[in-house]
Amino acid sequence: MDRYERILALHRSLKTARYPVPIKRLMEELACSRATLYRDIAFLRDALGAPVESEGEGSIRYDEKEAERFELPGLWLNSDELHALLAAHQLLDRTGQGVLSSALAPLKGRIESLLAQQAGGKRWPVERVRVIASGVRRRDELAFRLVASAVLERRQLEFDYLARSTNERTHRKVSPQRLTHYKDNWYLDAWDHEREGLRSFSVDRVQHARLLDPAARDIPDEELNQHLASSYGIFSGAPKGIATLLFSAKAARWVADEHWHSKQEGRFLPDGRYELKLPYSNAKELLMDVMRYGADAEVVEPPALRAQARTMLQLALSAYER
């Protein structure tokens, strides 16, 4: 790491330490020599005003009374934090030219200002960081703002909903709970008052949205997580079963590093293949993600899920046999 990152790491190490930190340990953490470390300590103490104290010959610490109040002057970001800012800048650029873009313009300007401070006034080449969207659906920016406002202001919302699965239009009155960004698209998790249950709505299918005066009904986080996050993908509901998937040794190099679900279990088999187990409620999205691996993926269990996968593959094959 360069001097800038060493100073930042040294400060954070001393700031969070409850006891004196040995010089030897700091040399290992910062990957530097004793002479370099002492120069950094001197700079931290003399140039930046850090309350550095020596504890014997082999340790240092921040003065207990001053440690809580001392912070490095100016803006100090490590490389990961800087990369996160650059990525956020690009994500804001992707919002397009709609109502949402104008609402986020001040935030984008603030990020550009922070990046300029980090570069000593020079312009960061943010165009060299790309965030590529995949499968983004068009949305009504006004509807998105109303949905987001209902979530944050804790107000009830009513709207017409055109479901993709049935192509049917229904009128909904809901208490918004969460706004979820999943696979480059937005979803509203809400309590449906007429159906008396939690539902997830694709925001791009929300039409004629209107904020209502009554306060939204709050559902406990535990209940939300149980219903909305216990199964695979965006589809809600308690798990109906555990899917066992098998991937070829070739696909295993990708799948073993992927996060499919918080409760997934994976292991390499002796022949190099990879077995993945995870809970699911609605098979649709799970099978779509399995199918992208083609012949390198196999649904093993449960039998009903395996039969559904076989049917999908047979139907796909029949389209090429005409």
Side-chain angles (χ1 to χ4, degrees):
M1 62 179 73
D2 59 22
R3 189 186 190 193
Y4 171 86
E5 290 192 313
R6 287 200 311 273
I7 293 293
L8 179 58
L10 177 59
H11 165 70
R12 290 180 172 175
S13 181
L14 295 175
K15 181 85 172 176
T16 58
R18 297 177 60 187
Y19 303 101
V21 184
I23 293 294
K24 185 175 180 181
R25 195 183 95 189
L26 289 173
M27 290 168 56
E28 293 174 353
E29 289 180 357
L30 304 180
C32 67
S33 66
R34 182 179 295 268
T36 297
L37 176 59
Y38 280 130
R39 284 195 296 270
D40 290 342
I41 294 172
F43 178 79
L44 186 61
R45 181 187 60 234
D46 301 333
L48 300 178
V52 180
E53 291 183 337
S54 297
E55 292 284 334
E57 296 183 0
S59 300
I60 62 171
R61 67 182 302 170
Y62 275 170
D63 177 85
E64 291 185 25
K65 296 180 180 179
E66 299 294 328
E68 293 234 359
R69 291 182 291 187
F70 176 74
E71 290 294 345
L72 293 177
L75 178 73
W76 291 74
L77 300 173
N78 62 28
S79 58
D80 288 341
E81 293 164 340
L82 180 59
H83 293 158
L85 267 185
L86 288 167
H89 186 282
Q90 290 298 302
L91 284 170
L92 291 176
D93 264 353
R94 277 172 39 193
T95 61
Q97 300 301 317
V99 179
L100 184 61
S101 180
S102 62
L104 293 177
L107 178 58
K108 183 170 175 287
R110 179 58 178 156
I111 290 178
E112 290 174 347
S113 174
L114 291 174
L115 291 172
Q117 291 179 41
Q118 184 77 358
K122 299 178 181 178
R123 178 185 176 276
W124 275 94
V126 293
E127 68 278 359
R128 295 189 179 274
V129 177
R130 294 199 303 162
V131 180
I132 301 175
S134 175
V136 179
R137 297 192 287 265
R138 289 178 295 179
R139 65 175 179 269
D140 182 338
E141 297 293 347
L142 181 57
F144 178 87
R145 288 194 67 177
L146 288 171
V147 168
S149 296
V151 172
L152 299 176
E153 296 176 15
R154 311 306 305 126
R155 292 169 60 184
Q156 292 184 21
L157 182 74
E158 67 175 2
F159 54 85
D160 292 332
Y161 190 70
L162 184 59
R164 278 195 174 84
S165 57
T166 62
N167 203 35
E168 292 182 0
R169 186 185 304 275
T170 56
H171 187 74
R172 306 293 182 113
K173 180 182 177 182
V174 303
S175 284
Q177 303 298 317
R178 294 172 177 171
L179 192 58
T180 302
H181 189 254
Y182 177 73
K183 292 187 176 180
D184 280 319
N185 290 289
W186 290 96
Y187 297 86
L188 171 65
D189 300 327
W191 175 267
D192 190 309
H193 289 274
E194 183 178 343
R195 291 156 182 80
E196 296 186 342
L198 289 167
R199 298 290 188 273
S200 292
F201 303 94
S202 181
V203 175
D204 61 288
R205 305 299 280 181
V206 169
Q207 301 174 348
H208 311 122
R210 187 168 71 92
L211 283 171
L212 303 177
D213 291 331
R217 171 181 175 179
D218 285 327
I219 306 299
D221 286 342
E222 184 178 344
E223 184 177 344
L224 287 175
N225 292 332
Q226 177 65 28
H227 187 81
L228 300 171
S230 58
S231 295
Y232 181 79
I234 198 62
F235 293 105
S236 59
K240 294 179 180 177
I242 301 296
T244 300
L245 312 174
L246 193 59
F247 297 89
S248 70
K250 177 184 176 182
R253 297 195 292 268
W254 282 268
V255 179
D257 293 328
E258 292 178 349
H259 176 81
W260 289 52
H261 191 272
S262 60
K263 295 183 179 179
Q264 70 185 44
E265 297 180 4
R267 68 186 181 103
F268 279 98
L269 302 182
D271 59 3
R273 291 183 298 170
Y274 190 76
E275 181 186 78
L276 180 65
K277 294 185 178 183
L278 48 86
Y280 76 98
S281 174
N282 188 309
K284 183 178 179 181
E285 185 180 1
L286 175 59
L287 290 177
M288 287 173 61
D289 285 344
V290 172
M291 297 302 174
R292 64 191 171 97
Y293 281 96
D296 289 312
E298 176 187 354
V299 177
V300 180
E301 293 179 334
L305 185 65
R306 181 179 175 89
Q308 193 172 346
R310 182 189 300 111
T311 300
M312 289 179 63
L313 289 171
Q314 289 173 340
L315 290 172
L317 181 61
S318 66
Y320 292 90
E321 293 177 339
R322 296 171 184 170

